Amino acid sequence: MNIHHITPKTILAALAVMAVPAAAFAAPALTGSSTAPRTASTATVVAAACPSGWGSLPEANSRMTPAPVTNVRTGRHPCFDRIVVDVHGRTAGYDVRYVTNVYTDGAGFLVPLRGGAKLQIVVHAPAYDDNGKATYLPKNDRELTNVAGYTTLRQLASAGSFEGQTTIGVGVRARLPFRVYTLAGPGSNTRLVIDVAHHW
């Protein structure tokens, strides 16, 4: 290539490309892994992108449904830990709040929970069908899902299903902000979603 044929425009374009930081070309970091190292600058970017405006006061919806609870799942996200309650049918109402202790429905026995705070989730839907047959049978009532390594969640435990509602006790690292909402699907099913933030 003959250097005498390089125009000033070409030189300016080359300089502009060299001025772009190398980080701009780097592949995005994988998220959702508690073991992945994170640089200070990446953490700042993630924190800045996290949703805000959540609180720690009770959230409730009085809607009742005979559609039964079929599963409880959890997941990790960059800004929060998520709890999903699957309902086989119409959207269920809920009452989600921090409490001093969680007690079993009906009998009133204490549900021991790990963590610095306790979140009580009452789903206005039974965990049994019209014939009284259970629709959600966890392998372990005291450990509904494995939350080892989660940032915020410490334990999920069943507090029973009684008189058309199902209660779940959640051990949380501390009293942290949360949000509650419902989603349609898959199919005619619905999901109750509770996200508990990693930080204030």
Side-chain angles (χ1 to χ4, degrees):
M1 178 177 179
N2 189 341
I3 194 164
H4 298 294
H5 292 312
I6 297 175
T7 64
K9 254 187 198 177
T10 306
I11 294 171
L12 286 175
L15 289 174
V17 169
M18 290 190 306
V20 176
F25 297 104
L30 293 176
T31 58
S33 170
S34 60
T35 56
R38 181 179 289 171
T39 63
S41 60
T42 305
T44 303
V45 170
V46 170
C50 288
S52 59
W54 302 2
S56 64
L57 296 178
E59 293 195 28
N61 180 314
S62 61
R63 183 188 305 115
M64 298 290 293
T65 179
V69 170
T70 58
N71 198 14
V72 176
R73 302 176 284 126
T74 54
R76 290 184 289 181
H77 294 262
C79 300
F80 53 83
D81 291 347
R82 172 168 288 174
I83 303 163
V84 178
V85 181
D86 292 318
V87 178
H88 183 61
R90 185 171 174 246
T91 304
Y94 52 83
D95 187 304
V96 181
R97 64 181 64 219
Y98 281 105
V99 294
T100 304
N101 285 300
V102 175
Y103 297 93
T104 58
D105 283 331
F109 296 123
L110 177 69
V111 177
L113 294 167
R114 297 184 296 275
K118 298 170 180 70
L119 192 64
Q120 177 179 273
I121 301 171
V122 177
V123 187
H124 297 319
Y128 47 83
D129 63 19
D130 293 338
N131 299 314
K133 183 180 178 182
T135 56
Y136 172 52
L137 283 170
K139 291 180 181 178
N140 184 347
D141 281 346
R142 294 292 170 251
E143 304 288 342
L144 298 184
T145 69
N146 180 3
V147 293
Y150 279 53
T151 303
T152 296
L153 301 181
R154 293 292 177 263
Q155 182 184 1
L156 269 76
S158 172
S161 190
F162 183 70
E163 294 187 341
Q165 69 179 29
T166 302
T167 303
I168 300 162
V170 182
V172 183
R173 187 183 83 242
R175 184 174 175 134
L176 293 161
F178 65 90
R179 66 177 174 181
V180 185
Y181 57 98
T182 57
L183 292 172
S188 61
N189 298 330
T190 55
R191 289 160 287 163
L192 174 64
V193 180
I194 301 97
D195 294 332
V196 186
H198 292 169
H199 307 285
W200 276 98

